[in-house]
Amino acid sequence: MKFETLSVHAGRDVERATGAVAPPIQLSTTYERDIDGEWSRGFSYSRADNPGRRPLEECIAALEGGEDATAYGSGSAASMAVFSLLRPGEHVIAPIESYHGTAKQLRDVLMPMGVTHTFVDMTRVDAVREALRKETRLVWIETPSNPMLNISDIETIAELAHGRGAMVCCDNTFATPVWQRPLELGADLVMHSSTKYFGGHSDVMGGAVVTRDRGGLSDKLRDYQQTVGSVPSPFDCWLIRRSLTTLSCRVRAQTHNASRIAGFLQSHKNVERVFYPGLDTHPGHAIAQRQMKGGFGAMLSFNVRGGRDAAFAVAAKMQLFIRATSLGGVESLVEHRASVEGPHTVTPQNLLRLSVGLESAEDLIADLDQALG
């Protein structure tokens, strides 16, 4: 089935008992045993499984082309699930420019537990090659990256990592499976913050990890999910599964808007640089064309001429772009990332990140034009 068909139908069946087309929300935390002590109906306790979480996981796995997926209460919980596969003495390679929460987990949670890491410029394959050690167990890729939209070559990096016995996880939150399918390019795991495009309406938190195969990594992640208990609520599962039905429509429309905005910003006198892989001036454009099939996503950033104060002044003048964190919702957002990321940031102080929504592209461009002056 095509992507749009999977979005509607994967894990979403008509309820047999009532014929309901819209899936029900099962709030029960516990389920009745059979007389012989078994659970023949498949559910025992909501931390272990839930009638609403299972369809969500089936759908996410199908959209990424994987065999299994595990859902979590947030994107951060999903990345920690991947890191739970590591053991003391093992080593991680991660991008020097990426979501700051992932880097913080490596520094503040994994390091004290004996898992070391090396941050590298992952746009340079040679940098990844040089960082590989015999202890390297995981190579973490984030492409396009947050917030400077850098592009990493998933296929080449996966070949390098596998040649040294390391697994590869790709954070596919920005691109979504609408535009990029890392498993087809050699990744072993795909991670998402479902809070973003999967939820799509800024009203639910979630995360997911997709595996290429069942068994092995899939079984370990399932055991971690049940043991740690960082699972989404039944209502959260219902909200995200409902939103997945329109994922392709939303992301394609948002990407169209982002592409137009990138072109406008590129020619504005008060913009120093635009970070958007769809522009042919972007250093990763050729790789993005190869691994992002048909579109370049709805996230972009730009440097405001005049420095940090000028960037804050531009954000303050925006009327349609809301000054708020997060991304992927139907409304457009603007954020000064360096001030959010703290002392470890490598983000330029004059950079503003845009999450482009579903408003009229003309209205969004007009808003940016008046704010930039």
Side-chain angles (χ1 to χ4, degrees):
M1 288 187 285
K2 301 296 183 183
F3 188 94
E4 292 77 8
T5 307
L6 287 171
S7 297
V8 174
H9 291 283
R12 191 171 181 265
D13 300 321
V14 172
E15 189 189 30
R16 281 180 286 180
T18 65
V21 173
I25 304 173
Q26 298 283 0
L27 296 176
S28 182
T29 59
T30 190
Y31 298 84
E32 183 185 40
R33 286 177 181 262
D34 299 334
I35 294 174
D36 61 3
E38 298 299 319
W39 286 283
S40 62
R41 285 164 283 189
F43 301 96
S44 60
Y45 190 65
S46 61
R47 174 166 47 78
D49 204 356
N50 176 274
R53 191 166 83 229
R54 186 177 296 180
L56 172 65
E57 293 173 338
E58 289 176 5
C59 183
I60 292 174
L63 295 180
E64 279 289 2
E67 287 296 320
D68 196 16
T70 45
Y72 304 90
S74 68
S76 293
S79 57
M80 277 305 302
V82 176
F83 294 148
S84 77
L85 301 170
L86 303 170
R87 296 295 177 264
E90 294 182 333
H91 175 248
V92 182
I93 298 174
I96 195 169
E97 188 264 323
S98 62
Y99 172 55
H100 76 288
T102 304
K104 182 173 174 60
Q105 288 180 345
L106 289 170
R107 285 192 306 265
D108 297 351
V109 180
L110 273 293
M111 274 286 286
M113 296 171 65
V115 177
T116 60
H117 62 269
T118 303
F119 293 125
V120 303
D121 178 359
M122 209 158 277
T123 66
R124 295 178 50 245
V125 173
D126 285 345
V128 179
R129 183 183 290 110
E130 292 167 6
L132 283 166
R133 311 175 187 169
K134 63 179 181 180
E135 301 89 4
T136 303
R137 168 72 168 136
L138 171 67
V139 177
W140 182 279
I141 302 174
E142 183 182 296
T143 182
S145 65
N146 182 4
M148 290 189 281
L149 286 296
N150 282 315
I151 300 298
S152 300
D153 188 331
I154 300 172
E155 188 170 19
T156 302
I157 292 173
E159 288 178 2
L160 275 177
H162 293 156
R164 299 293 291 272
M167 60 184 168
V168 174
C169 179
C170 182
D171 183 339
N172 203 31
T173 300
F174 270 26
T176 79
V178 174
W179 298 132
Q180 182 171 269
R181 307 239 292 189
L183 295 178
E184 296 176 358
L185 297 168
D188 304 291
L189 302 166
V190 179
M191 173 266 173
H192 280 275
S193 173
S194 308
T195 311
K196 313 307 192 290
Y197 290 100
F198 283 5
H201 295 79
S202 303
D203 57 8
V204 59
M205 292 186 69
V209 180
V210 184
T211 58
R212 178 193 306 281
D213 304 304
R214 290 186 181 273
L217 294 177
S218 172
D219 288 347
K220 291 179 180 178
L221 288 166
R222 184 71 63 189
D223 183 64
Y224 172 86
Q225 179 197 47
Q226 295 181 15
T227 303
V228 175
S230 55
V231 295
S233 72
F235 185 49
D236 291 349
C237 292
W238 185 89
L239 282 171
I240 296 169
R241 180 61 192 90
R242 182 193 63 169
S243 293
L244 285 174
T245 61
T246 61
L247 177 65
S248 179
C249 301
R250 287 184 284 106
V251 169
R252 289 177 186 277
Q254 289 166 300
T255 298
H256 171 76
N257 283 352
S259 179
R260 292 191 57 188
I261 289 170
F264 161 76
L265 290 172
Q266 193 175 35
S267 62
H268 199 283
K269 67 181 187 302
N270 288 327
V271 174
E272 289 182 350
R273 181 180 176 186
V274 181
F275 302 85
Y276 185 67
L279 296 173
D280 57 13
T281 55
H282 189 287
H285 179 66
I287 297 173
Q289 279 187 308
R290 185 172 73 245
Q291 67 186 21
M292 299 179 75
K293 305 298 185 181
F296 301 96
M299 298 297 300
L300 63 100
S301 298
F302 64 99
N303 289 346
V304 178
R305 196 174 301 281
R308 185 180 190 273
D309 291 344
F312 269 94
V314 169
K317 293 176 184 176
M318 292 185 189
Q319 298 173 1
L320 294 179
F321 285 87
I322 301 168
R323 295 182 301 279
T325 195
S326 199
L327 57 103
V330 295
E331 62 289 304
S332 293
L333 305 177
V334 60
E335 185 171 46
H336 183 263
R337 285 301 296 172
S339 61
V340 173
E341 294 171 346
H344 296 284
T345 185
V346 296
T347 301
Q349 291 293 327
N350 63 338
L351 181 141
L352 294 177
R353 188 190 73 181
L354 301 182
S355 171
V356 180
L358 289 174
E359 302 94 337
S360 159
E362 287 80 5
D363 290 339
L364 294 174
I365 289 171
D367 189 32
L368 287 166
D369 195 22
Q370 64 83 24
L372 284 162

